[in-house]
Amino acid sequence: MTPHNKTLKTLKTVLLACALACGAVQAQTYPDKPITLVVPFAAGGPTDVVARMIAIPMGKSLGQTVLVENTVGAGGTIAASRVARSAPNGYTLFIHHMGMATAPALYKKLPFDPLKDFEYIGQVVDVPMTMLARKDFPANNFAELQSYIKANKDKVSLANAGLGAVSHLCGLLFMSALETDLTTVPYKGTGPAMNDLLGGQVDLLCDQTTQTVPLIKEARVKVYGVTTLKRLSALPNVPTLDEQGLKGFEVKVWHGMYAAKDTPAAIIDKINAALRVALQDPMVKQRLADLSSDVPPMDKVTPAGLRTHLEAEIKKWSPVIRKAGIYAD
Ligand code: ASP
């Protein structure tokens, strides 16, 4: 080894030792200021609902406020890039759904790598979806919806929260099952999309039960079916799309929590512990149950549980998306 290489090696060892020691010191005092939880969609939508539900109990366990911040646009990828570039100190956290797994195939120039740029905290919740229409839409049930679409395809609009949002994926599956092609209208989240559905500006929307159950119960929207193979306890009278003829139509939206790559493991452990406490909080559990949403088994609410699931989901979705030929630049 040349003297130059030897110096470089020593320097690297010193830096590594320092990084470990500094991480340990940081972790001891963590958190000593408020934490930001980035939501990749607009306020009031389903992802935002989940984030705000867990932010309070997480903050209580961590002894600091967890502030929810909405960084919207491009199906959640703008927020993911922001978090990937944030300081790896545990003060910027990220909650995202399965869009994290579909983005690599959907976006040609993705400015982050879901498998390289993050630390994994754990899976969060699993949420079914519902197919809805504005209240005064002419079709009263799924059979009528199919006939209406056949006769009026060019007049029907379908809202979504941008390329890679689950409302987009559900809409694609729906159009492919019905062998139709509707006019799609992208929003910065299904919060604002729902406002337009309620206001009658857009016709159809597939969205998570974390936003839709109360609106369905209050009959403020029309519902054609749920996207699970079994009916939901929160909506026992709403048939599944599967039982109405769309065999195998199933979308259940999983969510995960992330931090920037190289956040010290001791800090990730503290955040994970707070997430686990929040998900077992009786009030959170009750609210989720009322929305027919499930807390995953606790072995999935772990860094390894999320990482393994994300890898499997990227493998599952990438060929499907490539085959469908849908891309963003
Ligand atoms: N439901 C949205 C989606 O389609 C996200 C949201 O607004 O929370 O991905």
Side-chain angles (χ1 to χ4, degrees):
M1 200 184 285
T2 64
H4 177 70
N5 281 351
K6 210 170 167 188
T7 317
L8 263 184
K9 202 177 166 205
T10 319
L11 197 64
K12 266 193 188 163
T13 317
V14 170
L15 282 177
L16 187 67
C18 172
L20 289 173
C22 297
V25 171
Q26 249 184 320
Q28 264 171 25
T29 54
Y30 176 87
D32 57 9
K33 60 178 184 187
I35 298 160
T36 300
L37 175 58
V38 176
V39 171
F41 298 103
T47 315
D48 187 71
V49 166
V50 173
R52 287 175 201 274
M53 206 186 288
I54 57 174
I56 295 172
M58 278 187 78
K60 267 194 202 149
S61 329
L62 288 163
Q64 284 290 342
T65 312
V66 176
L67 300 161
V68 172
E69 231 176 77
N70 304 82
T71 299
V72 302
T77 57
I78 292 176
S81 309
R82 173 186 161 194
V83 178
R85 281 179 188 75
S86 66
N89 55 15
Y91 289 99
T92 307
L93 307 180
F94 184 40
I95 182 168
H96 196 3
H97 57 42
M98 57 206 249
M100 195 71 161
T102 55
L106 281 169
Y107 285 81
K108 278 189 187 154
K109 290 180 217 137
L110 196 64
F112 63 91
D113 184 334
L115 294 176
K116 289 197 183 128
D117 295 341
F118 297 91
E119 297 296 337
Y120 307 90
I121 295 163
Q123 282 192 52
V124 183
V125 283
D126 298 325
V127 185
M129 300 188 86
T130 47
M131 193 60 176
L132 310 174
R134 61 183 161 84
K135 202 179 163 184
D136 53 357
F137 192 69
N140 288 316
N141 53 47
F142 183 59
E144 285 183 21
L145 175 66
Q146 284 173 292
S147 322
Y148 187 85
I149 286 178
K150 258 197 191 132
N152 303 281
K153 175 174 112 55
D154 296 338
K155 281 201 238 154
V156 181
S157 58
L158 171 64
N160 66 43
L163 201 74
V166 283
S167 44
H168 171 238
L169 298 169
C170 178
L172 286 177
L173 284 179
F174 189 75
M175 288 190 286
S176 134
L178 262 54
E179 293 175 5
T180 189
D181 192 13
L182 307 173
T183 307
T184 52
V185 188
Y187 289 82
K188 290 190 159 49
T190 49
M194 185 60 83
N195 286 340
D196 271 11
L197 195 81
L198 294 170
Q201 285 91 345
V202 72
D203 298 323
L204 303 177
L205 171 66
C206 181
D207 201 15
Q208 289 111 294
T209 55
T210 31
Q211 166 157 261
T212 65
V213 165
L215 300 169
I216 293 169
K217 285 189 168 164
E218 288 162 21
R220 294 178 63 199
V221 288
K222 274 187 182 160
V223 58
Y224 300 116
V226 299
T227 66
T228 39
L229 298 181
K230 275 197 193 148
R231 289 192 185 201
L232 303 177
S233 55
L235 301 168
N237 299 325
V238 179
T240 67
L241 290 171
D242 174 86
E243 78 185 73
Q244 297 181 94
L246 299 191
K247 281 285 152 236
F249 196 102
E250 189 180 18
V251 188
K252 199 155 187 198
V253 185
W254 61 270
H255 295 73
M257 190 176 282
Y258 308 82
K261 182 81 190 162
D262 293 331
T263 303
I267 291 182
I268 295 293
D269 286 350
K270 282 191 179 179
I271 304 165
N272 173 267
L275 174 63
R276 294 164 79 90
V277 170
L279 291 177
Q280 290 171 98
D281 179 290
M283 264 177 38
V284 169
K285 274 181 117 170
Q286 187 55 53
R287 275 193 72 196
L288 287 172
D290 291 346
L291 300 167
S292 281
S293 300
D294 305 315
V295 172
M298 280 298 132
D299 63 328
K300 306 251 176 169
V301 190
T302 57
L306 174 56
R307 163 94 198 189
T308 310
H309 192 63
L310 178 65
E311 275 172 358
E313 286 279 294
I314 291 176
K315 276 202 189 120
K316 172 176 137 184
W317 281 100
S318 298
V320 178
I321 291 166
R322 289 204 183 100
K323 203 169 153 215
I326 342 148
Y327 296 111
D329 289 330

